[in-house]
């Protein structure tokens, strides 16, 4: 009788877990929104494997593992955490391409302890395969008690991991195709202008001034298509992770002086002032000289483009903790706070000057890619009517002797 009851119970559990899996895979076919689906997957993983927490770590282009979804008491803290590939259990799963069960995580030397959360006691982690490629890891953990994960737990987690892998890949492909559509749209706008003005030029009754005006527009729009093409290519390469950043010693103060010299004539022409304020000696760091130069030029030329005659542009650099912080400020019109996060998205150009000054809305996205590839951060602060400041940090890395 007892065994009968037991097998009935286990059958009911299997049915319940199958029902959840079916519901998740149905949802997979009807959504391109990756995050809510991954969240549902980790919730189910936690419940179905009787764990205290579950999470998905995705392999990023810089070969680190980052939490993409987590459930359990420490879920929020995990979202901002990075896990090293070569010294963590999740990294072990990716490198060895196989699942792992560890009952006593704390005494396992491969474990990477995250200081801010409850210590993990037992863990089951499975690779997320997309075809032959491993794109991440799904794991269930217990924090309160030691736990023996079962064969069924492994099967459940493997099924969930393959659904999660497809969800991530679908969402990535969708993002890609979305971006292609945007590119085409952005190129079409100047091309339409070129075509229309070329048509108008064919009218014989245009006076000389109008003719020259139309020609100037055609030249300007052609230049714009060219800039767009150059920046698209640059961004696509940066996003693909194929671009290698050089690691040469950088003297940030010299680099600021060099970028300032390039922008100075433009500022003089438009009656803007430039100040450089570097009060302390900056430590040397490592990075890609040309790429950081590109970021500095982008921030300086934006400050010039989007502020007015008489405005002042100030470049400062200082050391804070383990980073060098460079700031490019202007006394221009400023940016409304709700628009600030959008600036680092593709093609975002704020209403106002965007018609008058040339631009693609890609410069800051490219700058962000470059700075993040250097393990730094980039952000903007602004007050409407007072001006804007764009900051970026570079971690201080001592060059090897
Ligand atoms: P763009 O090629 O349009 O200049 P960016 O990515 O460099 O592209 O900048 C995106 C948008 O951010 C700009 O179109 C502009 O609206 C806004 N922006 C950038 N820098 C400043 C600044 N210093 N002051 C005000 N707005 C700015």
């Amino acid at each position: 009788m007892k065994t009968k009851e037991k097998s009935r119970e286990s059958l009911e559990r299997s049915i319940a877990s199958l029902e959840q899996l079916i519901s998740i895979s149905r949802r997979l076919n009807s959504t391109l929104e990756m995050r809510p689906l991954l969240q549902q997957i980790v919730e189910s993983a936690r419940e179905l494997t009787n764990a205290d927490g579950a999470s998905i770590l995705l392999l990023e282009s810089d070969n680190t593992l980052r939490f993409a979804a987590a459930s359990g008491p420490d879920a929020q803290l995990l979202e901002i955490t990075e896990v090293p590939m070569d010294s963590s259990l999740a990294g072990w799963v990716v490198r060895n391409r196989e699942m792992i069960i560890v009952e006593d995580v704390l005494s396992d030397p491969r474990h990477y302890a995250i200081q801010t959360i409850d210590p993990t006691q037992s863990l089951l982690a499975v690779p997320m395969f997309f075809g032959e490629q491993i794109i991440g890891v799904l794991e269930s953990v217990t924090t309160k008690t030691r736990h023996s994960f079962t064969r069924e737990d492994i099967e459940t987690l493997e099924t969930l991991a393959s659904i999660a892998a497809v969800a991530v890949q679908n969402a990535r492909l969708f993002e890609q195709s979305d971006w292609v559509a945007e590119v085409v749209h952005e190129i079409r706008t100047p091309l339409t202008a070129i075509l229309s003005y070329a048509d108008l030029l064919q009218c014989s009754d245009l006076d000389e001034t109008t003719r020259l005006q139309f020609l100037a527009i055609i030249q300007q729009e052609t230049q714009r298509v060219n800039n767009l093409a150059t920046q698209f290519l640059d961004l696509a390469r940066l996003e693909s992770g194929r671009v290698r950043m050089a690691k040469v010693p950088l003297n940030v103060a010299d680099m600021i002086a060099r970028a300032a010299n390039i922008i100075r004539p433009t500022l003089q022409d438009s009656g803007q002032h430039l100040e450089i304020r570097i009060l302390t000696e900056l430590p040397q760091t490592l990075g890609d000289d040309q790429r950081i130069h590109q970021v500095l030029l982008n921030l300086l030329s934006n400050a010039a483009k989007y502020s007015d005659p008489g405005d002042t542009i100030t470049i400062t650099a200082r050391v804070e903790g383990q980073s060098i912080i460079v700031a490019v400020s202007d006394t221009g019109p400023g940016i409304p706070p709700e628009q600030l996060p959008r600036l680092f998205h593709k093609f975002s150009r704020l209403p106002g000057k965007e018609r008058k000054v040339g631009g693609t809305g890609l410069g800051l996205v490219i700058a962000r890619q470059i700075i993040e590839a250097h393990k730094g951060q980039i952000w903007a602060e602004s007050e409407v009517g007072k001006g804007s400041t764009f900051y970026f940090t570079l971690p201080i890395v001592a060059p090897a002797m």
Side-chain angles (χ1 to χ4, degrees):
M1 189 62 192
K2 273 254 148 64
T3 29
K4 231 181 180 181
E5 251 174 46
K6 254 199 173 157
S7 59
R8 191 193 162 89
E9 235 176 56
S10 112
L11 192 64
E12 275 173 0
R13 260 211 315 276
S14 303
I15 292 174
S17 83
L18 270 178
E19 272 170 356
Q20 281 208 32
L21 292 178
I22 290 169
S23 134
I24 292 173
S25 56
R26 276 220 187 98
R27 202 163 153 198
L28 172 70
N29 295 327
S30 64
T31 182
L32 282 164
E33 269 190 84
M34 174 175 83
R35 290 205 178 271
L37 185 58
L38 294 188
Q39 196 56 40
Q40 193 188 353
I41 289 174
V42 289
E43 304 290 351
S44 302
R46 176 161 79 115
E47 196 185 314
L48 297 175
T49 59
N50 298 311
D52 298 320
S55 44
I56 288 174
L57 292 111
L58 292 183
L59 192 58
E60 303 287 331
S61 52
D62 58 1
N63 214 30
T64 52
L65 283 161
R66 287 206 188 94
F67 286 94
S71 93
D74 288 317
Q76 276 187 338
L77 279 169
L78 290 177
E79 300 248 315
I80 48 168
T81 312
E82 210 175 89
V83 172
M85 250 313 252
D86 48 3
S87 53
S88 67
L89 286 166
W92 187 93
V93 171
V94 174
R95 283 182 283 118
N96 291 276
R97 305 174 66 83
E98 57 184 68
M99 68 102 194
I100 192 175
I101 293 186
V102 183
E103 260 194 68
D104 182 10
V105 167
L106 288 175
S107 62
D108 193 308
R110 294 167 297 184
H111 172 53
Y112 173 72
I114 299 166
Q115 302 305 335
T116 44
I117 64 167
D118 271 354
T120 305
Q121 306 256 352
S122 305
L123 164 144
L124 163 61
V126 300
M128 285 167 54
F129 276 104
F130 186 77
E132 284 292 294
Q133 197 191 350
I134 294 191
I135 62 165
V137 176
L138 171 63
E139 58 184 38
S140 279
V141 300
T142 61
T143 51
K144 299 188 188 82
T145 48
R146 279 238 211 135
H147 183 71
S148 305
F149 287 100
T150 61
R151 167 147 266 312
E152 274 163 31
D153 293 335
I154 302 173
E155 277 168 16
T156 307
L157 221 55
E158 280 176 344
T159 310
L160 286 170
S162 58
I163 300 175
V166 176
V168 170
Q169 228 47 20
N170 275 353
R172 285 182 177 164
L173 283 175
F174 181 68
E175 265 169 28
Q176 201 72 24
S177 61
D178 217 28
W179 153 220
V180 171
E182 273 184 282
V183 169
V184 171
H185 173 79
E186 290 294 319
I187 287 191
R188 205 167 260 162
T189 316
L191 282 182
T192 310
I194 293 170
L195 208 59
S196 319
Y197 284 100
D199 278 348
L200 286 172
L201 275 179
Q202 282 180 327
C203 302
S204 48
D205 52 355
L206 289 179
D207 61 62
E208 188 61 7
T209 328
T210 319
R211 215 175 57 84
L212 289 176
Q213 216 178 359
F214 288 0
L215 272 174
I217 295 175
I218 290 178
Q219 271 167 344
Q220 192 184 315
E221 294 298 297
T222 310
Q223 186 60 42
R224 193 169 138 67
V225 181
N226 197 25
N227 289 345
L228 274 167
T230 311
Q231 293 208 310
F232 289 149
L233 282 178
D234 199 20
L235 184 57
R237 288 183 56 235
L238 283 165
E239 282 193 337
S240 75
R242 276 182 291 127
V243 177
R244 283 211 155 269
M245 295 288 158
K247 267 195 163 187
V248 299
L250 300 181
N251 180 328
V252 175
D254 284 354
M255 295 186 69
I256 290 176
R258 180 150 54 102
N261 285 340
I262 294 178
I263 202 83
R264 216 169 252 122
T266 316
L267 296 181
Q268 265 158 9
D269 288 349
S270 53
Q272 290 158 312
H273 314 285
L274 181 67
E275 279 183 27
I276 302 180
R277 261 191 256 144
I278 304 175
L279 299 177
T280 50
E281 181 116 350
L282 299 174
Q284 223 178 46
T285 187
L286 291 180
D288 192 309
D289 180 77
Q290 280 190 28
R291 287 295 187 175
I292 300 297
H293 180 67
Q294 184 181 355
V295 173
L296 278 167
L297 271 188
N298 174 252
L299 298 184
L300 280 172
S301 72
N302 275 354
K305 278 194 306 192
Y306 301 109
S307 55
D308 300 310
D311 276 331
T312 302
I313 292 159
T314 312
I315 318 172
T316 62
R318 62 192 157 87
V319 173
E320 201 175 290
Q322 288 306 303
S323 302
I324 297 175
I325 304 188
V326 179
V328 177
S329 325
D330 61 65
T331 52
I335 301 159
E338 69 279 5
Q339 307 278 10
L340 284 173
R342 272 191 45 211
L343 297 182
F344 296 90
H345 292 180
K346 289 182 189 112
F347 306 117
S348 88
R349 305 201 68 209
L350 305 182
K353 279 203 162 180
E354 92 282 10
R355 296 250 151 261
K356 274 182 253 142
V357 296
T360 57
L362 291 176
L364 289 173
V365 191
I366 292 175
R368 193 185 71 187
Q369 288 277 343
I370 295 172
I371 294 300
E372 288 181 353
H374 282 79
K375 306 234 179 300
Q377 284 170 322
I378 184 165
W379 72 98
E381 289 172 9
S382 181
E383 203 174 325
V384 174
K386 293 215 163 138
S388 317
T389 304
F390 285 77
Y391 297 89
F392 70 86
T393 64
L394 287 175
I396 298 168
V397 190
M401 284 296 144

